[in-house]
Structures are given as C-alpha cells and as structure tokens.
Amino acid sequence: MKHYFFIFFLLVIFASYADEAHCNSDSICDWAEGRVDSRITLDVDGMGLSLPSAKSTSYQLIKRYMPSLLKNAYLSIVMDSSHRLGDYLALGEIDLGDLNVIIDSGKEKSPIFGQDLRSVILFHNVSTNDIAKFFVKHEIPCLPSVKAISSVGKSYTGILIDARGKLPIHGEYVDDELVPCIFPKIWDTNMDMLYEKNMVSPETLMKRNIVVYSDTLDESSYSDVIGVEPLRIIARGIFGQNRTDPIISVQDSAKLLSRKENLRLLQEGRVVILCNKELLKVVSSSDAPDENFYFAYHEIEKVIDDSKAKGIEPSKRKNIIKFTMYDIKFVADEADILPEETGRLDVIVEALLKVAGDAHFLIEGHTADLNRPDDQLELSIKRAERIAEELVKRGIDATRIQT
C-alpha cells in the first residue's frame, strides 16, 4: 500500500539592495491618487559633504542613485491578476532602460535639508498612468465577446463597482480583499470577461488609468469619471492570483451590455472600483526583490512547463518562490521514495539550479493522516530529510537546504 506525501519547497530569494550605503529610499503606491510617491535621503555626513554649501552636489548624487534605489519598489507594482512589473521585465515586455525612463519622467520637489543638517531629502513621484502607457499596444478598442441577453435597458453615465470587504476568490475556498492594480479586468459570474485594457481607447489610456480606485461612496469625489447616473454594482467575488479582478452578477452584466451607450463607457474608461482603504496605499517593503527574483521565477516556470511533469506547481509571494509538489509516493510508513518519482525530482533540481546562489531552500512536508500525530510528525520530518538527500545527490549544495 502506498502513502502520498504532500511536500512544499520554499525558495527564499534574498532581495538585492542598492550599493549606495549613504543613500536610501522609501516608496508608497497611492492607488487613489494614481501615483508612486518616493522619498530619497542622502546622508551627507557619511558622504563627507557639508551643508548647506554641498546642496547642489547632494542633489546630483541623489539623481545618480535614484534609478537603482527605486527600481525594486517599481518592480513590485501589481500590474494585473497574475503579473507585477518585474514579471513583465522578465518576460521582455519592458527592459531596465524603460524602467529608468519611467523613473526619470517623475516630478520632483526641490531638495530640502534634514532637521539636523546632516541629510538632504528629495521627494519624487510618478503617475501610474506613465507606467500604463508602456503597455498600450492596440490602436482600436475591442468589445466584450459576450453578448447582451436583452437590448432593453437603461443608459448610464459610468460604472461604480463596490468591492469592499472580503469576497469569495474564484476557484478557491477562501475569501480575500480586492487588490488595486494598473490593469484590472472585470468578469461576470459565468467568467465571461467584460472589461480589460484593450477595450479602452488608446487616447483615453494616454490620459488616465482604465479605472479609478476609491474607498468611499461619496460619488462627488469621482463624479468627473462616472457622472451622476452610474450603474451601481456590488461585486460578487474576486478573480486572479493577485486578487485584482472584481466579478459581477450576470444581471449587472446584462445591464452593462444592453446598450451601445454603455459599451462606450468601457471605451472611455469610466469605471470606479471601491476597495478597502488600507489597500489604497501600499508601502514598498525593505526586502522587495530585485529583477533576478523575477527572472528566476520565469526560468523555473519554463523548466516545469517544458518538462510536462504533473503535480508540480510554482507560485511566488513577496521574495519567496514556493514549489508545491503533490502526491510524492513513498513506501508505506517509511521514508523511502518510490523509483517512479525520479523524474519529478530531476525536474525540481533542474528548476532549483536556475536560482542564484544567495537563495536558500526550506523543505516542509505533510504526510497522510495516520491517526497517530507523533508518528505522523516524525515520518514527515524523515521524508523531508530524504527529499533533501535526493536534492543533494543531484547537485544542490547541502548548505542551502533546511528541513
């Protein structure tokens, strides 16, 4: 009799930091305002400079360091349901030169002195629409492929979707909060797509984002987008790995699709999405991963896809790449792996070898329920250790593995 062992490989990718020890930054993505706000601080004492005479030199140093200091914060910006900006860098949709152009296009306030005259601070911001422009490729907006149930309906001046609170995640048995992004999609409960960036006219996308985010029902704050008679919708769920896409009812979808005037609202981007207030300002964490994390993840994805191996699922969160490997077969009540698992272990090792040497691997295992908790825990540990041994045999440095 065979037991199945559910095992999780966690690859912890340590973030890269800018080499400029005397210059640091912090950034906030403000989705309600549609911009990324950054503060860059230069330690003039550490640089051997004196204020106020060295203010101009300090500014030039900040400008020199700014792209590398802000890069990781920008790479972490959520673009859509399955990508961050760093993913599109790894996929070749943009390059680091484009990212520098985005950062250099930002607005700045005049540098100011720190209170102790030992630092110079520069405030910088970039519109999220300036990021979106790099991804506008279409010339003519398309229409939703789903057809209206009826041609009888009302004309509206905009679309307001209330997605606050926690909502069911499509395809999962959990509830979660909607996360703002640059290119959300809107789906109905049949999972027909009703809205995405290619449905918006390029002229509109050159001026503003495809949605406006807010947390308030006070429509006067965004009436310039949705007018005074919007179609008011309560979201039924959320879709996407990044929790970005609201799902609306088929009935609300029918109201939206019933008239050409309403379809024009999509082309004009007259959409407001309400979400929870605390998610409207996203602080970039100090351990935000650099571009190598995203390149490694997509290399790993390619290895697994090309192998056609079943039961291996990569995913990522923050600076961690997680492998879930399902149904690893062991000898019953033992830590010996059955020979038929050799192929999948070979794929895992090929994927791990794509990861830079500063990553460490944590192996966690869960075995079948034996109704003996102590024995079950001991067996899980032994099996995790045996998996580690197999990885080492295949070329993974043992010092990089923890169980």
Side-chain angles (χ1 to χ4, degrees):
M1 179 179 177
K2 300 172 185 176
H3 281 289
Y4 293 90
F5 175 57
F6 295 80
I7 186 167
F8 301 87
F9 293 87
L10 299 181
L11 312 187
V12 182
I13 312 299
F14 296 99
S16 296
Y17 299 94
D19 291 330
E20 295 76 29
H22 302 293
C23 200
N24 61 75
S25 68
D26 50 84
S27 298
I28 296 175
C29 188
D30 188 331
W31 291 104
E33 297 296 330
R35 67 172 188 260
V36 182
D37 295 320
S38 301
R39 180 180 62 186
I40 302 134
T41 304
L42 180 73
D43 176 5
V44 293
D45 272 3
M47 296 296 293
L49 302 173
S50 298
L51 291 178
S53 60
K55 183 177 180 181
S56 177
T57 303
S58 299
Y59 174 69
Q60 294 303 320
L61 287 170
I62 289 174
K63 290 289 288 183
R64 181 196 304 172
Y65 297 150
M66 187 159 58
S68 61
L69 285 167
L70 300 185
K71 169 172 61 69
N72 294 353
Y74 278 76
L75 292 178
S76 68
I77 293 171
V78 180
M79 296 296 296
D80 54 40
S81 61
S82 57
H83 300 89
R84 293 179 181 268
L85 189 58
D87 293 303
Y88 281 127
L89 175 69
L91 292 169
E93 295 290 323
I94 62 167
D95 57 35
L96 288 175
D98 295 328
L99 185 56
N100 288 343
V101 170
I102 290 170
I103 293 172
D104 288 341
S105 71
K107 298 178 180 178
E108 301 170 359
K109 294 182 180 179
S110 297
I112 62 173
F113 300 130
Q115 290 184 347
D116 55 5
L117 291 183
R118 293 181 177 180
S119 61
V120 170
I121 302 169
L122 179 70
F123 292 94
H124 174 275
N125 71 76
V126 168
S127 166
T128 52
N129 182 241
D130 287 337
I131 301 172
K133 291 174 184 177
F134 272 83
F135 297 87
V136 179
K137 308 296 183 185
H138 62 287
E139 297 181 355
I140 299 174
C142 61
L143 293 172
S145 58
V146 59
K147 301 301 181 184
I149 298 173
S150 169
S151 60
V152 179
K154 178 181 176 182
S155 296
Y156 297 97
T157 58
I159 302 157
L160 174 62
I161 301 177
D162 189 347
R164 294 173 300 174
K166 286 192 173 184
L167 296 168
I169 303 300
H170 178 78
E172 303 179 34
Y173 295 102
V174 296
D175 293 348
D176 211 341
E177 299 172 289
L178 185 131
V179 174
C181 73
I182 287 183
F183 294 127
K185 299 180 179 71
I186 300 172
W187 307 79
D188 68 17
T189 48
N190 290 332
M191 295 315 293
D192 290 316
M193 187 191 301
L194 305 173
Y195 187 56
E196 54 103 4
K197 74 174 188 294
N198 291 318
M199 297 178 187
V200 184
S201 72
E203 295 77 16
T204 295
L205 286 171
M206 289 295 115
K207 298 176 183 176
R208 56 185 174 86
N209 292 320
I210 71 169
V211 304
V212 168
Y213 287 102
S214 181
D215 68 308
T216 177
L217 283 171
D218 179 7
E219 296 179 13
S220 64
S221 61
Y222 40 77
S223 60
D224 58 321
V225 177
I226 60 170
V228 295
E229 290 291 336
L231 172 58
R232 299 176 178 91
I233 298 171
I234 295 177
R236 305 299 181 181
I238 299 171
F239 175 71
Q241 178 181 332
N242 291 333
R243 314 309 202 214
T244 54
D245 299 352
I247 300 171
I248 68 174
S249 70
V250 173
Q251 291 76 16
D252 285 327
S253 168
K255 294 176 185 177
L256 175 61
L257 300 173
S258 63
R259 299 178 67 94
K260 290 182 179 179
E261 296 93 330
N262 296 336
L263 293 177
R264 195 173 300 122
L265 301 176
L266 302 180
Q267 294 183 0
E268 296 173 356
R270 296 196 174 279
V271 180
V272 171
I273 297 177
L274 303 183
C275 63
N276 295 336
K277 184 176 183 178
E278 60 271 18
L279 293 178
L280 288 175
K281 289 190 176 182
V282 180
V283 179
S284 177
S285 62
S286 60
D287 61 349
D290 67 7
E291 64 273 20
N292 295 314
F293 172 85
Y294 299 98
F295 281 109
Y297 178 77
H298 288 281
E299 285 279 354
I300 287 168
E301 260 196 334
K302 186 176 187 303
V303 168
I304 294 173
D305 288 345
D306 290 349
S307 74
K308 308 296 183 185
K310 296 181 179 180
I312 304 176
E313 182 180 299
S315 59
K316 63 183 185 301
R317 186 173 181 85
K318 296 185 178 179
N319 64 342
I320 296 173
I321 297 175
K322 174 180 176 180
F323 285 88
T324 305
M325 189 170 175
Y326 298 98
D327 298 346
I328 302 179
K329 298 181 179 68
F330 288 81
V331 174
D333 298 327
E334 299 290 340
D336 295 327
I337 304 170
L338 294 180
E340 59 203 81
E341 293 296 350
T342 298
R344 288 204 295 172
L345 288 172
D346 290 342
V347 171
I348 289 288
V349 170
E350 183 182 355
L352 296 186
L353 290 173
K354 298 290 184 182
V355 179
D358 61 353
H360 287 73
F361 312 130
L362 172 64
I363 302 174
E364 294 181 349
H366 303 275
T367 194
D369 190 356
L370 305 176
N371 293 317
R372 303 190 305 274
D374 291 342
D375 292 343
Q376 187 173 320
L377 175 60
E378 182 180 356
L379 182 58
S380 292
I381 293 171
K382 288 181 178 179
R383 287 180 170 180
E385 291 172 346
R386 182 56 57 86
I387 291 288
E389 291 171 8
E390 292 296 324
L391 299 186
V392 172
K393 286 180 184 178
R394 289 164 167 78
I396 301 297
D397 184 349
T399 63
R400 301 173 68 189
I401 300 175
Q402 291 179 298
T403 58

